[in-house]
Amino acid sequence: MSLAELRRISSDRKRPLSKDEKRAGRRDDKAAIVFLLPWLIGVVGLTAGPMLVSLYLAFTDYNLLQSAEFTGFDNIARMLDDARLHNSLAVTFMYVAIGVPLQLAVALGLALLLDRGMRGLSFYRSALYLPSLLGGSVAIAVLWRVVFGEDGLFNDFLGLFGVVGRSWISDPDTSLWTIILLHVWTFGSPMVIFLAGLRQIPRQYYEAASTDGASTWRQFRSITLPLLTPMVFFNLVLGIINAFQSFTQAFVVSGGTGGPADSTLFYTLYLYQEGFGSFRMGYASALAWLLLIIIGAFTAINFWASKYWVFYDD
């Protein structure tokens, strides 16, 4: 494009619009608003509105049956002395701190295996992705409870080697680990993302490293892992958010109690018990906002720390 044409376009932008052009612009604005209206209604009616209401209820005493009574910071003060809340936070933090890294490690390992170009790759990829679709369902949670029960399949398997099993979900020392194992089993989504990232790494990098005598581990540490850090970061952020919101597994496996001895009392399960079990909806709203703050804080920390370990091609 020549300099004269650029000057002409610039001058056309500066000239005042005609009435017809203004009328056409208003019609376009109205059309855009009409198309955006369903989304705007959904945001206001299903997201922003309920969030504002829950923020107000967080400072009230509300039991769903009577009008909300404003109590100021009473709910926040109660959080400081709530032993079950503190226990639920400890259980949830342990679940996140162990389950998320293990899930990413398993997903990355399987992605590296599938990236070797084996026969029937499409079948294996679909089969290994299936747990991500089913892992959060009630049916799988019920199956998990049966498998790790006293007379479950896992104990039958151990019996083949002469090992006497126990009810893994009824023991406070092992019940949480069964749910962590269920979380790790749903590795499908991060695996597919890792596999897509591996396919984007140029093969000539590995050829050059092999020519220089680099071992497989050295190639993984110096080429694969650094170039895969954007996918690791993406999966880490989503994994932490989803883990903090886990509910179905703990609810079904523990029968909705968080037992035994509150060993599987996830934060979301305790929030549910307070809101819909004890009808302390005001306190439950305060707990919901605390969860939002915790997730937001972890997400912000991840984004801040990413500049030190996430590498991009540019």
Side-chain angles (χ1 to χ4, degrees):
M1 183 176 292
S2 65
L3 182 59
E5 291 176 334
L6 290 174
R7 288 175 177 173
R8 180 178 57 80
I9 294 174
S10 178
S11 62
D12 289 342
R13 289 179 177 177
K14 293 180 180 179
R15 69 175 178 82
L17 297 176
S18 64
K19 292 183 178 180
D20 292 337
E21 289 173 334
K22 290 181 179 180
R23 192 177 299 111
R26 285 194 292 269
R27 284 199 300 268
D28 291 341
D29 293 341
K30 292 179 180 179
I33 292 174
V34 170
F35 281 108
L36 288 173
L37 194 59
W39 179 82
L40 292 173
I41 293 175
V43 168
V44 175
L46 300 178
T47 304
M51 286 184 66
L52 292 176
V53 172
S54 70
L55 180 60
Y56 166 73
L57 292 177
F59 299 95
T60 65
D61 180 12
Y62 181 49
N63 61 7
L64 293 177
L65 302 177
Q66 299 174 344
S67 300
E69 179 183 353
F70 186 80
T71 57
F73 294 97
D74 287 358
N75 288 329
I76 298 176
R78 181 184 171 188
M79 290 181 186
L80 301 176
D81 299 324
D82 192 342
R84 293 198 76 206
L85 169 61
H86 302 160
N87 179 74
S88 69
L89 284 171
V91 170
T92 305
F93 281 133
M94 183 176 177
Y95 174 76
V96 174
I98 298 176
V100 173
L102 282 178
Q103 185 190 63
L104 295 185
V106 172
L108 178 57
L110 289 172
L112 291 169
L113 182 63
L114 294 177
D115 191 48
R116 295 181 178 273
M118 62 177 63
R119 294 181 59 183
L121 176 61
S122 298
F123 168 76
Y124 289 114
R125 186 168 51 195
S126 300
L128 292 174
Y129 180 75
L130 193 61
S132 285
L133 299 177
L134 302 176
S137 65
V138 174
I140 294 298
V142 172
L143 177 62
W144 215 256
R145 184 173 182 175
V146 173
V147 168
F148 289 96
E150 188 172 1
D151 298 324
L153 296 177
F154 185 67
N155 284 339
D156 291 342
F157 173 75
L158 294 178
L160 298 176
F161 304 94
V163 179
V164 179
R166 52 181 168 174
S167 181
W168 303 91
I169 62 171
S170 299
D171 190 332
D173 295 329
T174 58
S175 56
L176 179 60
W177 290 98
T178 62
I179 303 179
I180 290 176
L181 182 61
L182 175 57
H183 178 76
V184 174
W185 182 66
T186 60
F187 53 77
S189 292
M191 181 200 68
V192 171
I193 294 173
F194 281 139
L195 186 59
L198 289 171
R199 293 300 175 87
Q200 300 301 315
I201 300 177
R203 292 293 138 186
Q204 55 264 32
Y205 291 173
Y206 297 103
E207 295 172 359
S210 298
T211 303
D212 292 338
S215 63
T216 303
W217 168 247
R218 179 71 184 208
Q219 292 178 31
F220 171 78
R221 187 166 57 89
S222 301
I223 299 174
T224 305
L225 198 56
L227 294 179
L228 211 60
T229 49
M231 285 70 185
V232 175
F233 172 66
F234 179 78
N235 283 328
L236 178 64
V237 171
L238 287 187
I240 290 176
I241 294 174
N242 292 332
F244 269 113
Q245 299 180 82
S246 295
F247 171 79
T248 304
Q249 301 92 327
F251 181 85
V252 175
V253 170
S254 68
T257 64
D262 286 348
S263 59
T264 60
L265 184 64
F266 284 13
Y267 188 92
T268 51
L269 179 55
Y270 180 60
L271 191 156
Y272 171 84
Q273 291 177 353
E274 287 294 309
F276 297 97
S278 302
F279 295 104
R280 289 190 282 263
M281 191 58 65
Y283 188 55
S285 297
L287 293 175
W289 276 93
L290 177 60
L291 178 61
L292 176 64
I293 293 172
I294 292 173
I295 293 176
F298 270 86
T299 304
I301 291 172
N302 279 324
F303 272 92
W304 171 80
S306 65
K307 61 184 178 182
Y308 297 106
W309 64 275
V310 179
F311 305 98
Y312 298 94
D313 289 340
D314 55 352

